[in-house]
């Protein structure tokens, strides 16, 4: 049986009273899971990811990351275990060059400089951008920024990776490259996206959300091929299934 | 290119200059920071009529321009807004101080003119020294040097974050101005009716973006101490650079070196 990394139980959250964003959300995520979090705009996918890393702590219910409850006192421990990739890479990258940005977290955790260097180079190698090491951030393309954002969390050697709309603004080649890189990670991954083809290529499990609740949790291929279910929740079949269906 | 885009480009160009692999760039940031502050203090300390002595202080910026392969013309161009303001400082001196100090035949120069030129030069030299520090040292390295001399982390972090947020604010402004211009053809600038909502939007958007940046920092272990780049070892060449330039600046301050040199040719 795989080790449980994340346990979410009866989670409810609202930014404003009377307007709940998440309602009684519960799920377990194991170490080998690659979970696609899907749903229409505004169903609470990004909020759920933010709660998992403790960017909001005034929720009801409980979240446990590797047995540690997510609360203000445990945020340092939790954030060492989870890497969160923002939707907009410009929000994630704030140092002047790639190396310093990737080194930001290891330095904050007080690692000696040789270890920081080792981790930075390892993270850059994992996403295949060692050649961009000294490049200023503002000179990176959209795809390079996304890979750099991923490298910034890999240098923390997290057990869990959360990604919010990773394929947005990527051209087909960069998108394919990102799929290839994500499939190479053995971490627990939770990817929130509207790009169902991307989810199909990277995830083995899908959680479908609507109106702040989990509607369906199951195997990616089963859920993503269920046209009726997807359309009932403002989604469509992935293009690969759609085109196959059309041809048939 | 809009004025805002040009301003963003200027900031990026300065960052590129600071990240070049030049001899001056590789000098320890603490040495450059100390020498810049020391140089400014010495320049400012010159008496108001000691123009020849002050001219000798040109040696430090000239050396750095030469060794750092930096263009004086580009520097003056970048400082085109600041330098006139600095020069205005002593503009009224000729009216208040009319005592004649130098006479060449019928041509006389009053103390007010000399003190005005001295003040202008002091301003120009101090601005150039600061420019040279920024053009040869990244903001992270400068902040790292400030932390080495135990300047409180709250100040250092403020400087770093303000520097980062300036670009964020400029980019947001640029986006909004572009969106406005596309829907207001033929208008110069922003109509006064839209000022309020534009400023409000700009503030809210910048706050959102700033909050996301802060969240991103917190998620990567930020606890109030900004680790400003790679720690740099203090090498023999850094010590030599520090000692030699401290001595040169002091010699030019304490002795009329240019007058000695001039007397050799008379």
């Amino acid at each position: 049986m795989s080790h449980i990394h994340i346990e979410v139980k009866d989670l409810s959250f609202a930014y404003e009273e009377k307007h709940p964003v998440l309602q009684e959300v519960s799920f377990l995520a194991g170490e080998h899971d690659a979970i696609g979090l899907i749903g229409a705009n505004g169903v609470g996918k990004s909020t759920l990811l933010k709660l998992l890393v403790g960017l909001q702590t005034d929720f009801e219910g409980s979240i446990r990351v590797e047995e540690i409850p997510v609360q203000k006192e445990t945020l340092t421990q939790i954030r060492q275990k989870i890497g969160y990739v923002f939707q907009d890479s410009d929000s994630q990258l704030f140092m002047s060059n790639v190396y310093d940005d990737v080194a930001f977290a290891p330095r904050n955790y007080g690692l000696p400089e040789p270890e920081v260097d080792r981790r930075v180079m390892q993270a850059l190698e994992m996403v295949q951008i060692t050649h961009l090491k000294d490049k200023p951030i503002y000179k990176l393309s959209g795809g390079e920024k996304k890979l750099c954002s991923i490298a910034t969390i890999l240098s923390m050697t997290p057990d869990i990776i959360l990604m919010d709309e990773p394929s947005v603004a990527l051209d087909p080649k960069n998108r394919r490259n990102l799929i290839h890189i994500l499939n190479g990670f053995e971490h627990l991954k939770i990817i929130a996206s509207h790009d169902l083809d991307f989810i199909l290529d990277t995830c083995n499990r899908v959680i479908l959300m609507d109106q702040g609740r989990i509607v369906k949790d199951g195997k990616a291929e089963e859920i993503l091929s269920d046209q009726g279910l997807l359309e009932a929740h403002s989604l469509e079949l992935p293009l690969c299934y759609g085109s196959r269906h059309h041809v048939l | 290119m809009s004025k805002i885009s040009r301003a963003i480009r200027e900031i990026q160009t300065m960052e590129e200059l600071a990240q070049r692999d030049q001899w001056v760039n590789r000098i320890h940031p603490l040495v450059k920071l100390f020498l810049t502050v020391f140089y400014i203090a010495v320049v400012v300390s010159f008496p108001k009529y000691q123009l020849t002595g002050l001219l000798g202080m040109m040696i430090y910026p000239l050396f750095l321009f030469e060794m750092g392969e930096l263009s004086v013309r580009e520097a003056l161009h970048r400082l085109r807004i600041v330098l006139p303001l600095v020069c205005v400082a002593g503009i009224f001196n000729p009216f208040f101080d009319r005592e004649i100090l130098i006479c060449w035949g019928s041509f006389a120069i009053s103390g007010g003119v000399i003190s005005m030129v001295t003040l202008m030069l002091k301003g120009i030299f101090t601005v150039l020294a600061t420019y040279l520090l920024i053009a040869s040292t990244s903001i992270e390295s400068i902040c790292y040097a400030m932390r080495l001399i135990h300047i409180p982390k709250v100040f250092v972090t403020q400087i770093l974050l303000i520097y980062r947020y300036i670009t964020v604010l400029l980019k947001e402004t640029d986006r909004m101005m572009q969106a406005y211009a596309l829907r207001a053809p033929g208008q110069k600038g922003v109509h006064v009716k839209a000022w309020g909502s534009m400023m409000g939007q700009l503030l809210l958007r910048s706050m959102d973006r700033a909050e996301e940046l802060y969240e991103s920092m917190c998620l990567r272990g930020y606890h109030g101490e900004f680790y400003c780049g790679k720690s740099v070892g203090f090498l023999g060449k850094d010590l030599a650079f520090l000692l030699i330039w401290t001595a040169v600046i002091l010699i030019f301050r304490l002795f009329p070196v240019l007058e000695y040199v001039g007397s050799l040719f008379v």
Side-chain angles (χ1 to χ4, degrees):
Chain A
M1 188 183 159
S2 73
H3 177 63
I4 298 299
H5 271 321
I6 294 180
E7 182 189 6
V8 177
K9 212 170 179 181
D10 300 326
L11 178 67
S12 297
F13 176 75
Y15 289 105
E16 297 168 32
E17 262 183 75
K18 296 179 186 170
H19 295 287
V21 182
L22 295 173
Q23 299 179 71
E24 294 170 4
V25 170
S26 300
F27 68 92
L28 297 174
E31 60 186 322
H32 300 303
D33 281 336
I35 301 173
L37 206 54
I38 63 170
N41 286 331
V43 297
K45 303 187 297 290
S46 299
T47 304
L48 177 55
L49 291 187
K50 287 191 172 184
L51 293 184
L52 294 180
V53 282
L55 285 176
Q56 301 283 349
T57 48
D58 47 345
F59 53 79
E60 287 172 25
S62 74
I63 304 173
R64 297 176 79 86
V65 176
E66 293 189 352
E67 305 295 327
I68 304 166
V70 175
Q71 53 199 40
K72 276 182 185 158
E73 298 75 32
T74 58
L75 289 183
T76 308
Q77 283 171 281
I78 298 283
R79 288 170 180 176
Q80 269 182 302
K81 295 176 187 299
I82 302 184
Y84 179 84
V85 181
F86 283 72
Q87 180 176 343
D88 183 358
S89 301
D90 283 327
S91 300
Q92 184 135 12
L93 307 171
F94 45 80
M95 299 295 277
S96 51
N97 62 50
V98 171
Y99 186 97
D100 282 341
D101 228 310
V102 179
F104 184 81
R107 281 178 182 149
N108 275 329
Y109 287 115
L111 297 177
E113 202 55 39
E115 175 63 11
V116 170
D117 188 62
R118 193 189 66 76
R119 286 211 189 183
V120 171
M121 294 314 295
Q122 193 179 32
L124 294 176
E125 271 167 29
M126 284 172 86
V127 292
Q128 300 162 18
I129 53 166
T130 43
H131 58 288
L132 300 176
K133 181 168 75 84
D134 299 316
K135 206 168 178 181
I137 296 294
Y138 64 85
K139 282 195 170 178
L140 301 179
S141 68
E144 289 171 341
K145 276 185 186 172
K146 185 58 74 183
L147 293 178
C148 181
S149 300
I150 297 171
T152 62
I153 61 151
L154 291 180
S155 63
M156 295 158 60
T157 58
D159 296 329
I160 301 159
I161 294 177
L162 309 182
M163 299 181 107
D164 194 0
E165 298 286 0
S167 61
V168 163
L170 292 186
D171 62 29
K173 189 183 166 194
N174 278 314
R175 185 176 168 283
R176 175 58 45 199
N177 187 25
L178 183 59
I179 289 170
H180 191 69
I181 288 167
L182 288 180
N183 286 338
F185 294 154
E186 290 176 359
H187 312 76
L188 161 61
K189 296 183 285 264
I190 302 183
I191 301 172
S193 181
H194 292 122
D195 182 348
L196 300 189
D197 288 273
F198 186 86
I199 295 289
L200 193 60
D201 283 336
T202 51
C203 300
N204 52 27
R205 178 179 160 194
V206 161
I207 293 178
L208 171 63
M209 292 183 71
D210 200 355
Q211 295 183 340
R213 294 177 188 275
I214 292 181
V215 177
K216 185 95 177 172
D217 181 350
K219 283 187 177 173
E221 284 178 8
E222 282 174 18
I223 293 179
L224 295 177
S225 59
D226 189 338
Q227 188 170 9
L229 177 71
L230 293 175
E231 287 182 357
H233 298 285
S234 310
L235 297 171
E236 289 180 351
L237 280 178
L239 287 173
C240 62
Y241 287 155
S243 57
R244 195 180 299 163
H245 179 74
H246 187 71
V247 169
L248 289 173
Chain B
M1 197 188 278
S2 72
K3 279 183 185 171
I4 298 167
S5 305
R6 270 204 297 273
I8 296 170
R9 182 75 205 117
E10 282 291 316
I11 293 174
Q12 291 171 345
T13 309
M14 289 304 292
E15 283 188 8
E16 278 171 34
L17 285 177
Q19 282 173 11
R20 291 175 315 151
D21 191 24
Q22 290 290 331
W23 185 79
V24 175
N25 294 46
R26 288 195 296 270
I27 296 285
H28 196 285
L30 186 57
V31 171
K32 285 185 278 186
L33 181 67
F34 171 79
L35 280 175
T36 305
V37 174
F38 181 62
Y39 174 80
I40 290 172
V42 170
V43 163
V44 170
S45 75
F46 269 88
K48 61 181 181 179
Y49 296 136
Q50 212 171 330
L51 185 55
T52 46
L54 185 62
L55 280 172
M57 296 304 287
M58 207 189 293
I59 189 169
Y60 179 67
L62 284 181
F63 175 82
L64 287 186
F65 271 115
E66 185 60 30
M67 294 307 292
E69 293 185 18
L70 291 160
S71 161
V72 180
R73 209 173 65 177
E74 279 177 19
L76 294 175
H77 180 71
R78 283 201 185 100
L79 299 172
R80 65 192 176 281
I81 296 170
V82 182
L83 286 180
L85 293 176
V86 166
C87 291
V88 163
I91 207 154
F92 293 111
N93 285 19
F95 300 106
F96 296 118
D97 183 359
R98 293 164 184 267
E99 189 188 344
I100 303 299
L101 287 187
I102 299 171
C103 263
W104 285 318
S106 61
F107 186 71
I109 300 176
S110 70
V113 172
I114 293 177
S115 65
M116 179 186 73
V117 175
T118 307
L119 257 179
M120 285 178 174
L121 281 180
K122 281 182 183 179
I124 292 168
F125 287 170
T126 50
V127 169
L128 282 181
T130 313
Y131 170 83
L132 284 163
L133 174 70
I134 298 168
S136 63
T137 322
S138 68
I139 191 79
E140 285 87 1
S141 299
I142 294 173
C143 289
Y144 167 70
M146 289 165 84
R147 286 296 293 142
L148 283 182
I149 50 174
H150 298 288
I151 290 178
K153 67 182 177 187
V154 64
F155 292 123
V156 177
T157 307
Q158 288 275 342
I159 293 170
L160 257 172
L161 293 185
I162 286 171
Y163 186 78
R164 286 285 157 243
Y165 285 146
I166 284 173
T167 325
V168 171
L169 185 68
L170 285 174
K171 281 183 180 168
E172 287 296 343
T173 314
D174 198 32
R175 273 188 215 122
M176 287 179 66
M177 293 295 283
Q178 281 173 359
Y180 183 88
L182 287 171
R183 288 185 287 153
Q187 245 187 56
K188 277 188 178 175
V190 178
H191 193 276
V192 68
K193 280 183 182 169
W195 284 6
S197 57
M198 286 278 275
M199 287 305 289
Q201 279 291 323
L202 181 62
L203 180 70
L204 292 174
R205 284 191 195 191
S206 304
M207 280 168 67
D208 276 352
R209 176 53 66 88
E211 187 155 335
E212 279 199 349
L213 276 174
Y214 180 68
E215 283 177 351
S216 164
M217 287 163 64
C218 288
L219 290 179
R220 288 196 273 154
Y222 175 73
H223 293 297
E225 175 77 82
F226 209 105
Y227 295 93
C228 323
K230 220 171 198 169
S231 56
V232 190
F234 200 86
L235 305 174
K237 71 175 172 61
D238 299 318
L239 186 63
F241 189 82
L242 176 69
L243 293 178
I244 290 170
W245 274 105
T246 307
V248 170
I249 291 169
L250 273 179
I251 288 169
F252 271 82
R253 174 66 185 90
L254 298 175
F255 304 101
V257 180
L258 286 189
E259 286 177 28
Y260 290 150
V261 175
S263 65
L264 295 175
F265 298 97
V266 178

